[in-house]
Amino acid sequence: MESTKQRLLARSLGTCINILSYIAPRQAAALAHRFFSRPRYGRLEAHALPDPLNQARKSVYPSLLGNIVCYEWGSGPKILLLHGWESNSGRWERLLPFLDGFHVMAIDAPGHGQDSGIEFNAPLYAAFADAVSATFQPDFVIGHSMGGISLLYLLHRYPMPQLRKAVVMGAPSEMTAIVANFNDQLGLSKRARRVFDAYIEARYGFLPSAFSGAAFAKTITVETLVVHATDDDVVPVAEGERIAAALPNGHFLSVTGSGHRLHDDALYADIRSFLRA
């Protein structure tokens, strides 16, 4: 019932954007972008944090981008964790026991968790990670879903000479597919889609077709493990295969049964072994 209601609301919004694209195209594109970039879920209240975050050493890292909320556990070689869209740092609860012996830091993405912002985009998330990494200096980085493609952009865009390995989990490769899925959900017309693409180019300096995890991967030399579930119903496994094939020093691991979330003890043991090797 709820999903039917959401589909009807999305279609109604799409109809409004389609009409507005003829009357006020910039306003139409801004409205589409607002719903594209603002997460509906994944927020956290300070009084209701998941247990792992309550047990963490919490800090707020001031940067030119705003205050970045950080959670830290343990000591040892350093790992930075980047969660995905409409999630938060609590998603790492099942992985954390497998990272004993490491100094782990998780950050809340823009517009997620306890972050004060309202908007998310992958370049901004990568900039968050870069700002924190300047001080934290991680040996390893793990990113899930949109955190994964943000990780690829991070390694493509920002130098991290100290980094030893990276893990990309359930990540999409092509921003065109993400935008196309959004457009389809709203039922946007061809005109509205062109207007939205032009808005993205004006705002970020590139078209969706230029934001490609596989293209970024070609420039990444650090050893990288790409993990994807064959039963992922959010991001097709072919996206992960495309990323892994583009990496000069990449490995691909497919799993079955854990879906997009990739919560699986055997997989987490494999990730730990990869980091320690």
Side-chain angles (χ1 to χ4, degrees), residues 157-238:
R157 174 69 176 79
Y158 301 98
M160 298 184 71
Q162 85 290 345
L163 197 70
R164 292 159 58 184
K165 293 181 181 180
V167 180
V168 176
M169 304 174 63
S173 174
E174 308 305 315
M175 186 59 70
T176 49
I178 297 171
V179 173
N181 181 60
F182 173 79
N183 290 340
D184 290 344
Q185 286 180 343
L186 269 61
L188 295 188
S189 66
K190 289 183 179 180
R191 178 182 175 83
R193 294 176 190 226
R194 289 196 301 270
V195 166
F196 187 32
D197 278 354
Y199 183 91
I200 291 175
E201 183 178 23
R203 185 180 179 98
Y204 298 107
F206 54 79
L207 286 166
S209 58
F211 200 88
S212 165
F216 301 150
K218 291 178 182 179
T219 70
I220 297 170
T221 57
V222 68
E223 187 175 7
T224 303
L225 175 65
V226 179
V227 180
H228 219 107
T230 58
D231 58 333
D232 189 327
D233 61 354
V234 177
V235 180
V237 66

Side-chain angles (χ1 to χ4, degrees), residues 3-267:
S3 60
T4 300
K5 181 180 178 181
Q6 289 175 350
R7 283 196 296 270
L8 289 173
L9 288 172
R11 287 289 174 163
S12 297
L13 174 63
T15 299
C16 292
I17 293 171
N18 289 339
I19 295 171
L20 195 59
S21 69
Y22 286 93
I23 305 168
R26 180 168 177 78
Q27 286 82 352
L31 181 60
H33 180 265
R34 175 180 177 180
F35 283 87
F36 179 74
S37 64
R38 295 189 182 185
R40 297 165 298 168
Y41 309 106
R43 285 291 189 184
L44 291 172
E45 298 294 336
H47 65 273
L49 294 179
D51 286 344
L53 303 189
N54 271 324
Q55 296 161 6
R57 304 187 298 273
K58 182 184 171 185
S59 61
V60 177
Y61 182 88
S63 77
L64 295 176
L65 304 167
N67 292 330
I68 303 171
V69 181
C70 309
Y71 310 88
E72 296 179 64
W73 302 265
S75 60
K78 297 176 179 180
I79 303 177
L80 179 64
L81 302 178
L82 306 176
H83 68 76
W85 169 255
E86 293 188 335
S87 183
N88 54 63
S89 294
R91 74 95 53 210
W92 302 112
E93 179 174 8
R94 286 186 56 179
L95 174 61
L96 286 172
F98 291 88
L99 301 182
D100 186 43
F102 292 93
H103 179 178
V104 179
M105 174 186 283
I107 64 173
D108 282 336
H112 293 74
Q114 295 190 83
D115 179 66
S116 60
I118 59 174
E119 182 179 303
F120 172 91
N121 63 71
L124 178 59
Y125 197 5
F128 265 39
D130 176 61
V132 169
S133 296
T135 299
F136 185 59
Q137 292 289 299
D139 300 289
F140 310 97
V141 185
I142 301 175
H144 174 254
S145 193
M146 286 302 294
I149 192 172
S150 299
L151 166 55
L152 293 169
Y153 183 70
L154 168 70
L155 300 186
H156 165 75
R157 174 69 176 79
Y158 301 98
M160 298 184 71
Q162 85 290 345
L163 197 70
R164 292 159 58 184
K165 293 181 181 180
V167 180
V168 176
M169 304 174 63
S173 174
E174 308 305 315
M175 186 59 70
T176 49
I178 297 171
V179 173
N181 181 60
F182 173 79
N183 290 340
D184 290 344
Q185 286 180 343
L186 269 61
L188 295 188
S189 66
K190 289 183 179 180
R191 178 182 175 83
R193 294 176 190 226
R194 289 196 301 270
V195 166
F196 187 32
D197 278 354
Y199 183 91
I200 291 175
E201 183 178 23
R203 185 180 179 98
Y204 298 107
F206 54 79
L207 286 166
S209 58
F211 200 88
S212 165
F216 301 150
K218 291 178 182 179
T219 70
I220 297 170
T221 57
V222 68
E223 187 175 7
T224 303
L225 175 65
V226 179
V227 180
H228 219 107
T230 58
D231 58 333
D232 189 327
D233 61 354
V234 177
V235 180
V237 66
E239 295 281 285
E241 292 171 338
R242 186 176 297 116
I243 292 168
L247 285 162
N249 192 13
H251 313 278
F252 183 71
L253 175 62
S254 65
V255 296
T256 301
S258 54
H260 183 63
R261 293 181 180 274
L262 289 168
H263 289 315
D264 179 84
D265 287 354
L267 168 61

